[in-house]
mmCIF file of all heavy atoms in Angstrom:
data_model
loop_
_atom_site.group_PDB
_atom_site.id
_atom_site.type_symbol
_atom_site.label_atom_id
_atom_site.label_comp_id
_atom_site.label_asym_id
_atom_site.label_seq_id
_atom_site.Cartn_x
_atom_site.Cartn_y
_atom_site.Cartn_z
ATOM 1 N N PHE J 1 -8.632 -12.771 -11.141
ATOM 2 C CA PHE J 1 -7.371 -12.871 -10.414
ATOM 3 C C PHE J 1 -6.439 -11.714 -10.757
ATOM 4 O O PHE J 1 -5.736 -11.179 -9.890
ATOM 5 C CB PHE J 1 -6.695 -14.204 -10.727
ATOM 6 C CG PHE J 1 -7.398 -15.389 -10.120
ATOM 7 C CD1 PHE J 1 -7.385 -16.626 -10.748
ATOM 8 C CD2 PHE J 1 -8.075 -15.269 -8.927
ATOM 9 C CE1 PHE J 1 -8.048 -17.717 -10.193
ATOM 10 C CE2 PHE J 1 -8.739 -16.353 -8.356
ATOM 11 C CZ PHE J 1 -8.722 -17.572 -8.994
ATOM 12 N N ASN J 2 -6.392 -11.292 -12.031
ATOM 13 C CA ASN J 2 -5.543 -10.169 -12.422
ATOM 14 C C ASN J 2 -5.964 -8.891 -11.708
ATOM 15 O O ASN J 2 -5.123 -8.114 -11.227
ATOM 16 C CB ASN J 2 -5.588 -9.970 -13.937
ATOM 17 C CG ASN J 2 -4.852 -11.059 -14.687
ATOM 18 O OD1 ASN J 2 -3.953 -11.693 -14.145
ATOM 19 N ND2 ASN J 2 -5.219 -11.290 -15.930
ATOM 20 N N ASP J 3 -7.272 -8.647 -11.631
ATOM 21 C CA ASP J 3 -7.730 -7.450 -10.933
ATOM 22 C C ASP J 3 -7.475 -7.543 -9.436
ATOM 23 O O ASP J 3 -7.201 -6.524 -8.781
ATOM 24 C CB ASP J 3 -9.222 -7.241 -11.189
ATOM 25 C CG ASP J 3 -9.482 -6.668 -12.581
ATOM 26 O OD1 ASP J 3 -8.504 -6.233 -13.216
ATOM 27 O OD2 ASP J 3 -10.640 -6.675 -13.029
ATOM 28 N N GLU J 4 -7.560 -8.748 -8.871
ATOM 29 C CA GLU J 4 -7.229 -8.917 -7.448
ATOM 30 C C GLU J 4 -5.762 -8.564 -7.198
ATOM 31 O O GLU J 4 -5.412 -7.935 -6.197
ATOM 32 C CB GLU J 4 -7.508 -10.352 -7.006
ATOM 33 C CG GLU J 4 -8.972 -10.757 -7.006
ATOM 34 C CD GLU J 4 -9.751 -10.165 -5.847
ATOM 35 O OE1 GLU J 4 -9.164 -9.379 -5.082
ATOM 36 O OE2 GLU J 4 -10.940 -10.496 -5.706
ATOM 37 N N ILE J 5 -4.871 -8.965 -8.118
ATOM 38 C CA ILE J 5 -3.452 -8.645 -7.971
ATOM 39 C C ILE J 5 -3.232 -7.139 -8.076
ATOM 40 O O ILE J 5 -2.455 -6.544 -7.318
ATOM 41 C CB ILE J 5 -2.635 -9.401 -9.033
ATOM 42 C CG1 ILE J 5 -2.670 -10.915 -8.749
ATOM 43 C CG2 ILE J 5 -1.186 -8.914 -9.054
ATOM 44 C CD1 ILE J 5 -2.023 -11.753 -9.821
ATOM 45 N N ARG J 6 -3.919 -6.493 -9.019
ATOM 46 C CA ARG J 6 -3.790 -5.034 -9.142
ATOM 47 C C ARG J 6 -4.267 -4.332 -7.880
ATOM 48 O O ARG J 6 -3.639 -3.375 -7.409
ATOM 49 C CB ARG J 6 -4.606 -4.554 -10.341
ATOM 50 C CG ARG J 6 -4.008 -4.933 -11.691
ATOM 51 C CD ARG J 6 -4.841 -4.346 -12.812
ATOM 52 N NE ARG J 6 -4.254 -4.632 -14.109
ATOM 53 C CZ ARG J 6 -4.797 -4.252 -15.265
ATOM 54 N NH1 ARG J 6 -5.929 -3.575 -15.256
ATOM 55 N NH2 ARG J 6 -4.203 -4.555 -16.407
ATOM 56 N N LEU J 7 -5.375 -4.812 -7.325
ATOM 57 C CA LEU J 7 -5.877 -4.223 -6.088
ATOM 58 C C LEU J 7 -4.884 -4.422 -4.949
ATOM 59 O O LEU J 7 -4.668 -3.515 -4.130
ATOM 60 C CB LEU J 7 -7.225 -4.847 -5.742
ATOM 61 C CG LEU J 7 -7.898 -4.325 -4.462
ATOM 62 C CD1 LEU J 7 -8.190 -2.837 -4.595
ATOM 63 C CD2 LEU J 7 -9.190 -5.098 -4.189
ATOM 64 N N ALA J 8 -4.258 -5.599 -4.892
ATOM 65 C CA ALA J 8 -3.253 -5.842 -3.848
ATOM 66 C C ALA J 8 -2.069 -4.884 -3.994
ATOM 67 O O ALA J 8 -1.531 -4.386 -2.994
ATOM 68 C CB ALA J 8 -2.776 -7.294 -3.926
ATOM 69 N N LYS J 9 -1.664 -4.599 -5.245
ATOM 70 C CA LYS J 9 -0.562 -3.658 -5.457
ATOM 71 C C LYS J 9 -0.933 -2.253 -4.985
ATOM 72 O O LYS J 9 -0.114 -1.557 -4.368
ATOM 73 C CB LYS J 9 -0.174 -3.643 -6.937
ATOM 74 C CG LYS J 9 0.508 -4.918 -7.411
ATOM 75 C CD LYS J 9 0.877 -4.809 -8.877
ATOM 76 C CE LYS J 9 1.598 -6.074 -9.354
ATOM 77 N NZ LYS J 9 1.944 -6.000 -10.805
ATOM 78 N N LEU J 10 -2.164 -1.835 -5.291
ATOM 79 C CA LEU J 10 -2.592 -0.504 -4.839
ATOM 80 C C LEU J 10 -2.630 -0.430 -3.318
ATOM 81 O O LEU J 10 -2.191 0.570 -2.728
ATOM 82 C CB LEU J 10 -3.972 -0.191 -5.416
ATOM 83 C CG LEU J 10 -4.034 0.099 -6.919
ATOM 84 C CD1 LEU J 10 -5.470 0.338 -7.343
ATOM 85 C CD2 LEU J 10 -3.164 1.303 -7.271
ATOM 86 N N GLU J 11 -3.138 -1.492 -2.678
ATOM 87 C CA GLU J 11 -3.169 -1.493 -1.217
ATOM 88 C C GLU J 11 -1.765 -1.496 -0.634
ATOM 89 O O GLU J 11 -1.497 -0.833 0.370
ATOM 90 C CB GLU J 11 -3.951 -2.703 -0.725
ATOM 91 C CG GLU J 11 -5.446 -2.628 -1.023
ATOM 92 C CD GLU J 11 -6.197 -3.829 -0.496
ATOM 93 O OE1 GLU J 11 -5.535 -4.767 -0.010
ATOM 94 O OE2 GLU J 11 -7.442 -3.829 -0.556
ATOM 95 N N ALA J 12 -0.843 -2.243 -1.272
ATOM 96 C CA ALA J 12 0.538 -2.248 -0.787
ATOM 97 C C ALA J 12 1.169 -0.859 -0.926
ATOM 98 O O ALA J 12 1.940 -0.431 -0.062
ATOM 99 C CB ALA J 12 1.353 -3.280 -1.576
ATOM 100 N N LYS J 13 0.819 -0.160 -2.015
ATOM 101 C CA LYS J 13 1.350 1.194 -2.204
ATOM 102 C C LYS J 13 0.840 2.126 -1.109
ATOM 103 O O LYS J 13 1.592 2.943 -0.559
ATOM 104 C CB LYS J 13 0.938 1.706 -3.585
ATOM 105 C CG LYS J 13 1.567 3.024 -3.959
ATOM 106 C CD LYS J 13 1.190 3.404 -5.386
ATOM 107 C CE LYS J 13 1.834 4.735 -5.770
ATOM 108 N NZ LYS J 13 1.476 5.122 -7.167
ATOM 109 N N GLU J 14 -0.463 2.003 -0.789
ATOM 110 C CA GLU J 14 -1.015 2.834 0.279
ATOM 111 C C GLU J 14 -0.358 2.510 1.622
ATOM 112 O O GLU J 14 -0.031 3.418 2.405
ATOM 113 C CB GLU J 14 -2.523 2.611 0.372
ATOM 114 C CG GLU J 14 -3.292 3.128 -0.837
ATOM 115 C CD GLU J 14 -4.778 2.848 -0.728
ATOM 116 O OE1 GLU J 14 -5.163 2.189 0.258
ATOM 117 O OE2 GLU J 14 -5.536 3.290 -1.606
ATOM 118 N N LYS J 15 -0.162 1.223 1.895
ATOM 119 C CA LYS J 15 0.484 0.841 3.158
ATOM 120 C C LYS J 15 1.928 1.327 3.197
ATOM 121 O O LYS J 15 2.450 1.695 4.257
ATOM 122 C CB LYS J 15 0.428 -0.673 3.328
ATOM 123 C CG LYS J 15 -0.973 -1.203 3.580
ATOM 124 C CD LYS J 15 -0.968 -2.699 3.816
ATOM 125 C CE LYS J 15 -2.392 -3.221 3.997
ATOM 126 N NZ LYS J 15 -3.028 -2.649 5.199
ATOM 127 N N GLY J 16 2.613 1.328 2.031
ATOM 128 C CA GLY J 16 3.977 1.848 1.988
ATOM 129 C C GLY J 16 4.022 3.329 2.341
ATOM 130 O O GLY J 16 4.940 3.780 3.041
ATOM 131 N N ALA J 17 3.018 4.087 1.846
ATOM 132 C CA ALA J 17 2.968 5.507 2.192
ATOM 133 C C ALA J 17 2.759 5.694 3.691
ATOM 134 O O ALA J 17 3.390 6.563 4.325
ATOM 135 C CB ALA J 17 1.848 6.191 1.411
ATOM 136 N N ARG J 18 1.887 4.866 4.273
ATOM 137 C CA ARG J 18 1.667 4.968 5.724
ATOM 138 C C ARG J 18 2.919 4.581 6.508
ATOM 139 O O ARG J 18 3.246 5.191 7.528
ATOM 140 C CB ARG J 18 0.492 4.077 6.127
ATOM 141 C CG ARG J 18 -0.852 4.535 5.562
ATOM 142 C CD ARG J 18 -1.996 3.788 6.225
ATOM 143 N NE ARG J 18 -3.294 4.191 5.692
ATOM 144 C CZ ARG J 18 -3.942 3.556 4.731
ATOM 145 N NH1 ARG J 18 -3.412 2.441 4.222
ATOM 146 N NH2 ARG J 18 -5.103 3.968 4.303
ATOM 147 N N LEU J 19 3.620 3.533 6.015
ATOM 148 C CA LEU J 19 4.865 3.149 6.687
ATOM 149 C C LEU J 19 5.910 4.251 6.595
ATOM 150 O O LEU J 19 6.692 4.480 7.529
ATOM 151 C CB LEU J 19 5.404 1.857 6.077
ATOM 152 C CG LEU J 19 4.617 0.573 6.409
ATOM 153 C CD1 LEU J 19 5.204 -0.610 5.652
ATOM 154 C CD2 LEU J 19 4.648 0.300 7.907
ATOM 155 N N GLY J 20 5.945 4.943 5.436
ATOM 156 C CA GLY J 20 6.877 6.065 5.314
ATOM 157 C C GLY J 20 6.567 7.167 6.311
ATOM 158 O O GLY J 20 7.487 7.745 6.922
ATOM 159 N N MET J 21 5.272 7.453 6.492
ATOM 160 C CA MET J 21 4.894 8.456 7.488
ATOM 161 C C MET J 21 5.267 7.990 8.900
ATOM 162 O O MET J 21 5.760 8.786 9.723
ATOM 163 C CB MET J 21 3.387 8.718 7.387
ATOM 164 C CG MET J 21 2.906 9.849 8.281
ATOM 165 S SD MET J 21 1.136 10.176 8.039
ATOM 166 C CE MET J 21 1.166 10.714 6.313
ATOM 167 N N ALA J 22 5.041 6.699 9.162
ATOM 168 C CA ALA J 22 5.429 6.177 10.480
ATOM 169 C C ALA J 22 6.936 6.275 10.684
ATOM 170 O O ALA J 22 7.408 6.601 11.793
ATOM 171 C CB ALA J 22 4.978 4.718 10.601
ATOM 172 N N GLY J 23 7.714 6.005 9.619
ATOM 173 C CA GLY J 23 9.169 6.134 9.729
ATOM 174 C C GLY J 23 9.590 7.564 10.018
ATOM 175 O O GLY J 23 10.541 7.801 10.782
ATOM 176 N N ALA J 24 8.881 8.531 9.398
ATOM 177 C CA ALA J 24 9.212 9.935 9.652
ATOM 178 C C ALA J 24 8.985 10.296 11.114
ATOM 179 O O ALA J 24 9.825 10.947 11.755
ATOM 180 C CB ALA J 24 8.373 10.834 8.734
ATOM 181 N N PHE J 25 7.844 9.872 11.658
ATOM 182 C CA PHE J 25 7.584 10.163 13.073
ATOM 183 C C PHE J 25 8.570 9.424 13.983
ATOM 184 O O PHE J 25 8.977 9.947 15.030
ATOM 185 C CB PHE J 25 6.147 9.787 13.425
ATOM 186 C CG PHE J 25 5.141 10.812 12.998
ATOM 187 C CD1 PHE J 25 4.403 10.630 11.852
ATOM 188 C CD2 PHE J 25 4.954 11.974 13.739
ATOM 189 C CE1 PHE J 25 3.479 11.576 11.442
ATOM 190 C CE2 PHE J 25 4.026 12.924 13.347
ATOM 191 C CZ PHE J 25 3.285 12.732 12.188
ATOM 192 N N ALA J 26 8.956 8.194 13.572
ATOM 193 C CA ALA J 26 9.957 7.484 14.366
ATOM 194 C C ALA J 26 11.288 8.223 14.343
ATOM 195 O O ALA J 26 12.016 8.265 15.348
ATOM 196 C CB ALA J 26 10.135 6.061 13.819
ATOM 197 N N GLY J 27 11.644 8.820 13.183
ATOM 198 C CA GLY J 27 12.881 9.606 13.114
ATOM 199 C C GLY J 27 12.836 10.814 14.035
ATOM 200 O O GLY J 27 13.834 11.142 14.703
ATOM 201 N N VAL J 28 11.662 11.468 14.058
ATOM 202 C CA VAL J 28 11.521 12.610 14.978
ATOM 203 C C VAL J 28 11.684 12.154 16.426
ATOM 204 O O VAL J 28 12.372 12.809 17.240
ATOM 205 C CB VAL J 28 10.150 13.280 14.758
ATOM 206 C CG1 VAL J 28 9.898 14.344 15.821
ATOM 207 C CG2 VAL J 28 10.079 13.894 13.366
#
């Protein structure tokens, strides 16, 4: 379960980076 939580955090970090890129294109 601890490793599953760590994996979820890494995936959330990756999704946050993608959302940031989407926000940049939305700003443009």
